Amino acid sequence: MANPFTSSVAEKLKKLQTPFYYYDTEVLKQTLQALTGEAGKYGYQVHYAVKANANPRILSIIKDFDIGADCVSGGEIEAALNAGFPASKIVFAGVGKADWEIELGLDNDIFCFNAESLPELEIIDELAARKGKTANVALRINPDVDAHTHQHITTGTKENKFGINIEQLDAVLDRMETLKHLNLVGIHFHIGSQILDFEPFETLCAKLVEIEKRFSERGIFLKNINFGGGLGIDYENPDEHPIPDFKRFFATINRHFTPKAGQTVHFEPGRSVVAQCGTLISKVLYIKEGSFKRFAILDAGFTELIRPALYDAYHKIENISARSGEAVYDVVGPICESSDTFGKDVKLPVSHRGDLFALRSAGAYGEIMASQYNCRKLPKSYFSDQI
Ligand code: LLP
């Protein structure tokens, strides 16, 4: 795909107050087409992980592709329902579900609670009993598979707070026999995020056979197997790979896991759905020539995009106003912290005050993780088909 920031797009963007998120709705729709097409080949069900981006317009485009929503808070359940996702396609995960959030899920008859511990199961049972309901639950199991990704986004090893350890499964199932307001509908995993080497998924499939045996020995049939999210994207080359490799991903799972008759396989992609359609657009406030470094100081900081500060994440940086010359810059924000740096020693065209910078592949975990630190305003969003 060609770089979307042609001079005519840059001209239009220049009229808007920076910093802001710019979403290419065409890229989003093509991504969703590829996702649903590839998942559909195997009958896999997809629940978009709302945590990646809950912008109402983004949600409404996604829900038109007839997929479900994976939520991790009451707020996300409300956002999904407001956007028109049917409650029957909402799954609710998270290690710390508050009572009101569980009640919200029960009141709306969501598809299922992905439960992460025995105490949580006990509370879901108690709250369901009070309402005279039965809650569908899937057990999130910690499979102890290392996703070999950044430590802050690895979730499936046994030191992580997530899921029920395999060693404790029998005790949990014993206790669940006494919890009469729960209906066990399946199991759930999520091993990590930004995964591009699929070997951990293959390991997970191998473990799954073992885990399923534990259930079948007790006469429990697992109707739903949920692999969570995790598929990574190409942050280095967003124009070469605007659409993640859903084909290879689903084919890998299909090769390594054969569902039983009557079993449905689910996924919860977040990043792979929305990352490439979003860009943070920011203006150069100052070019500061230090004694050791040359800084391009932007009007966006980690308040708008925290991923570089938090995970050392790389986002491709482009100057979409200037095209000539070359110089090296540390690209930084205005926040009063050294970690407010988007990139070090970045080669760019010679840049000036007022130039627009694009921080690419920022559609996932960008706008949604924005904060108001330093009393800054939350960023606005604009869409390619509306500017
Ligand atoms: N399902 C569960 C239970 C999850 O915890 C997550 C992400 C997903 C699905 C979606 O995973 P994805 O397809 O997006 O990899 N803020 C971090 C990423 C945190 C991911 C947390 N869980 C970042 O900016 O890289």
Side-chain angles (χ1 to χ4, degrees):
M1 219 179 253
N3 183 288
F5 297 103
T6 58
S7 38
S8 79
V9 172
E11 271 317 301
K12 285 187 198 165
L13 297 179
K14 195 149 193 181
K15 299 195 179 88
L16 305 169
Q17 174 77 50
T18 51
F20 58 86
Y21 274 88
Y22 171 71
Y23 295 106
D24 189 324
T25 47
E26 221 18 71
V27 171
L28 176 59
K29 286 177 190 172
Q30 285 178 23
T31 306
L32 286 158
Q33 208 96 50
L35 167 67
T36 51
E38 295 302 328
K41 283 184 185 168
Y42 311 103
Y44 293 161
Q45 299 222 344
V46 175
H47 305 265
Y48 165 64
V50 174
K51 65 173 77 63
N53 189 318
N55 182 299
R57 175 104 204 278
I58 297 277
L59 290 183
S60 87
I61 293 173
I62 294 174
K63 80 103 192 21
D64 282 344
F65 281 75
D66 208 23
I67 61 182
D70 158 41
C71 300
V72 288
S73 71
E76 285 191 1
I77 294 176
E78 283 165 350
L81 291 172
N82 289 341
F85 284 89
S88 61
K89 287 187 180 171
I90 292 180
V91 295
F92 181 18
V95 288
K97 299 178 186 75
D99 294 18
W100 74 268
E101 297 177 305
I102 295 170
E103 286 174 348
L104 183 70
L106 289 168
D107 290 342
N108 285 284
D109 296 318
I110 60 166
F111 173 60
C112 145
F113 292 85
N114 291 332
E116 307 227 9
S117 67
L118 185 53
E120 178 194 331
L121 286 161
E122 289 170 343
I123 294 300
I124 298 175
D125 179 72
E126 188 184 314
L127 296 175
R130 255 188 245 162
K131 291 181 186 290
K133 293 197 167 193
T134 305
N136 282 344
V137 294
L139 298 185
R140 175 167 179 178
I141 295 175
N142 184 325
D144 196 22
V145 172
D146 189 345
H148 305 302
T149 180
H150 190 280
Q151 55 159 340
H152 288 181
I153 50 177
T154 291
T155 45
T157 62
K158 61 182 170 213
E159 301 84 39
N160 291 125
K161 67 180 174 182
F162 300 100
I164 295 163
N165 295 130
I166 296 177
E167 301 75 35
Q168 294 173 329
L169 196 52
D170 277 318
V172 170
L173 291 173
D174 284 346
R175 175 77 177 104
M176 274 184 83
E177 283 174 15
T178 67
L179 303 175
K180 298 296 178 202
H181 295 267
L182 300 184
N183 179 27
L184 180 60
V185 297
I187 51 175
H188 172 235
F189 304 95
H190 174 75
I191 55 174
S193 203
Q194 184 53 17
I195 301 171
L196 288 166
D197 161 13
F198 296 161
E199 188 236 70
F201 284 107
E202 295 173 17
T203 312
L204 175 60
C205 288
K207 286 218 168 170
L208 189 47
V209 176
E210 229 177 89
I211 294 167
E212 270 200 287
K213 220 167 120 218
R214 298 270 199 119
F215 286 88
S216 60
E217 279 166 4
R218 290 171 159 260
I220 300 171
F221 174 67
L222 296 168
K223 169 111 194 45
N224 298 284
I225 310 286
N226 186 336
F227 282 93
L231 173 61
I233 63 130
D234 189 346
Y235 280 98
E236 270 81 21
N237 308 295
D239 295 326
E240 282 85 338
H241 299 121
I243 317 279
D245 200 350
F246 296 116
K247 190 184 173 100
R248 191 168 72 88
F249 176 67
F250 290 127
T252 304
I253 301 285
N254 181 254
R255 222 177 17 256
H256 290 88
F257 177 69
T258 309
K260 300 197 172 48
Q263 217 166 38
T264 308
V265 176
H266 302 251
F267 291 89
E268 301 169 345
R271 184 190 316 268
S272 54
V273 183
V274 290
Q276 297 292 33
C277 75
T279 304
L280 174 61
I281 304 288
S282 177
K283 208 166 259 179
V284 177
L285 291 175
Y286 305 103
I287 300 293
K288 173 172 165 178
E289 303 278 352
S291 321
F292 300 101
K293 288 265 187 178
R294 182 184 298 118
F295 297 96
I297 303 173
L298 306 186
D299 63 1
F302 71 46
T303 40
E304 284 71 36
L305 179 63
I306 200 170
R307 302 194 67 257
L310 202 53
Y311 317 113
D312 268 328
Y314 171 82
H315 286 266
K316 189 171 185 189
I317 302 172
E318 293 168 350
N319 180 330
I320 62 171
S321 304
R323 317 258 162 187
S324 57
E326 189 179 273
V328 174
Y329 300 90
D330 274 15
V331 180
V332 302
I335 310 299
C336 304
E337 304 217 15
S338 305
S339 62
D340 188 30
T341 298
F342 290 125
K344 290 196 167 159
D345 301 321
V346 186
K347 264 194 213 142
L348 289 162
V350 174
S351 303
H352 304 94
R353 173 174 166 83
D355 285 354
L356 284 193
F357 273 33
L359 285 95
R360 305 289 307 277
S361 315
Y365 308 109
E367 186 182 358
I368 194 70
M369 291 181 81
S371 77
Q372 292 185 303
Y373 183 46
N374 285 187
C375 288
R376 287 167 61 82
K377 306 229 179 322
L378 289 175
K380 283 193 175 174
S381 57
Y382 296 95
F383 295 82
S384 56
D385 55 357
Q386 290 177 342
I387 56 162

